[in-house]
Amino acid sequence: MDLLEQYFNSKIAAEEKIEAKDWMPEEYRKTLIRQISQHAHSEIVGMLPEGNWITRAPSLKRKSILLAKVQDEGGHGLYLYCAAETLGVSREQMIDDLLTGKAKYSSIFNYPAVTWADMGAIGWLVDGAAIMNQVMLCRTSYGPYARAMVRICKEESFHQRQGYDILLTLSKGTEIQRKMAQDAINRWWWPSLMMFGPSDAESTHSNQSMAWKIKRATNDELRQRFVDMSVPQVEILGLSLPDPKLKWNPERKHYDYGEINWDEFKNIIKGNGPCNKNRLAARNKAHDDGAWVREAATAYAYKKSSAAKSVA
Ligand code: BYC
């Protein structure tokens, strides 16, 4: 091991952040680019299922809250693309990888949001799972990623509460509203558990990412924490989670839960989920429709810089 690598390892061991200009192993850089760009893509694609409900929100208040949430997600994507750019990858390259289907984004956004209650279930469960995963990322070893995550986590907490508030309102409403809330929870529960990634035994990157302190907890540890957190919350709603095997285990001091359908997960990340094609088509259309804005901004920047040069 050479001196640079020894120095890098000593910084990781001492809990010092690695910064953009520091030397880092090529695999560390690649792992971060992969994870941060996938994370950014998830935020951007994650705007689609909820964006679809902005015009159909049941009141002006709900509409403005949902609008703010979807805008926040766009902002999260931008912070994360910036963090990835510090590692030497261009924004164009990352976007191209998303639009051509080369890069992954979270499996969860390939499911349809079919009722208003889905806005509640997405906020409570999907943002809840995201926070569980992202709180550890505030302590990730790469400085620009860790700092981006601090603000993202604060906003995600608001997102989770707005989702829970929608479900709480529906759960106190009419029989039809309660059923709608239960149905949304039934559909979003298992896909939310899949967000944490494959089991530790199947996870390709976890060991190395834990050693480099990119990840601070494994996929299964975070998934278990999420299950333990969700059970008392669903009880307050007076609703249930769709898992007959869910049971408190006094020896483990955790809830046991049923088997995840890993075939469904694998199928989705291969691109064959219910909405994969729609999501990519929507992102490609948005990118094409926005071409004139990018061209105008580039032409304006060029004009400004040539005007500045001729004054000089
Ligand atoms: N979906 O070795 P593993 C949000 C892939 S929340 C798709 O365990 P790693 C939001 C994985 O990429 C969601 N693919 O990987 C919330 C790898 O494939 P590649 C975004 C998945 O990286 C609300 C392979 O499976 N959050 O944005 O150590 C509203 C093996 O997995 C998934 C983040 O991205 C999945 N669920 O651990 C709006 C958090 N799970 O790359 C937006 C940051 C795994 O080798 N990311 N794969 O081809 C992470 O913490 C980690 O990347 C993961 C996976 C825990 C997701």
Side-chain angles (χ1 to χ4, degrees), residues 31 34-36 38-44 46-47 50 69 73 76 80 104-109 122 126-127 129-130 133-134 136-137 145 156 159 194-199 202-206 209 215 219 222 265 269:
T31 300
R34 177 186 64 78
Q35 178 168 324
I36 303 173
Q38 285 178 2
H39 193 167
H41 301 328
S42 305
E43 297 283 356
I44 300 296
M47 296 167 78
E50 290 171 295
K69 178 184 192 278
E73 280 149 12
H76 297 173
L80 289 163
K104 291 193 169 75
Y105 57 86
S106 182
S107 50
I108 193 76
F109 300 115
I122 291 177
V126 175
D127 287 87
N133 169 282
Q134 291 169 6
M136 71 152 180
L137 294 174
Y145 191 22
E156 296 283 20
H159 296 173
M194 294 174 196
M195 285 174 71
F196 295 94
S199 69
E202 299 283 325
S203 165
T204 346
H205 306 288
S206 279
S209 289
K215 284 166 94 163
N219 299 357
L222 291 171
F265 173 74
I269 63 174

Side-chain angles (χ1 to χ4, degrees), residues 38-160:
Q38 285 178 2
H39 193 167
H41 301 328
S42 305
E43 297 283 356
I44 300 296
V45 178
M47 296 167 78
L48 296 170
E50 290 171 295
N52 194 29
W53 276 91
I54 293 171
T55 54
R56 290 178 285 162
S59 69
L60 187 57
K61 189 176 152 203
R62 292 288 187 203
K63 190 193 283 269
S64 51
I65 295 171
L66 188 61
L67 192 59
K69 178 184 192 278
V70 173
Q71 281 177 340
D72 284 353
E73 280 149 12
H76 297 173
L78 298 184
Y79 313 150
L80 289 163
Y81 283 129
C82 289
E85 280 172 314
T86 64
L87 291 153
V89 61
S90 71
R91 179 87 55 109
E92 288 73 22
Q93 180 65 56
M94 289 186 274
I95 303 285
D96 194 59
D97 287 349
L98 170 67
L99 297 180
T100 55
K102 192 173 158 213
K104 291 193 169 75
Y105 57 86
S106 182
S107 50
I108 193 76
F109 300 115
N110 294 306
Y111 293 87
V114 292
T115 71
W116 171 251
D118 288 26
M119 297 304 97
I122 291 177
W124 174 46
L125 294 173
V126 175
D127 287 87
I131 298 171
M132 189 56 83
N133 169 282
Q134 291 169 6
V135 163
M136 71 152 180
L137 294 174
C138 297
R139 292 190 302 115
T140 192
S141 55
Y142 186 56
Y145 191 22
R147 291 188 287 275
M149 290 318 303
V150 173
R151 178 155 173 196
I152 293 179
C153 281
K154 286 187 184 152
E155 293 177 351
E156 296 283 20
S157 308
F158 154 71
H159 296 173
Q160 189 193 20

Side-chain angles (χ1 to χ4, degrees), residues 214-248:
I214 293 174
K215 284 166 94 163
R216 295 288 185 147
T218 69
N219 299 357
D220 285 336
E221 282 164 1
L222 291 171
R223 193 172 4 251
Q224 180 70 63
R225 280 185 217 166
F226 177 70
V227 172
D228 292 348
M229 179 190 81
S230 303
V231 175
Q233 293 181 352
V234 84
E235 283 167 2
I236 294 172
L237 295 174
L239 300 171
S240 60
L241 297 172
D243 180 358
K245 294 199 173 144
L246 194 65
K247 196 168 180 271
W248 178 252

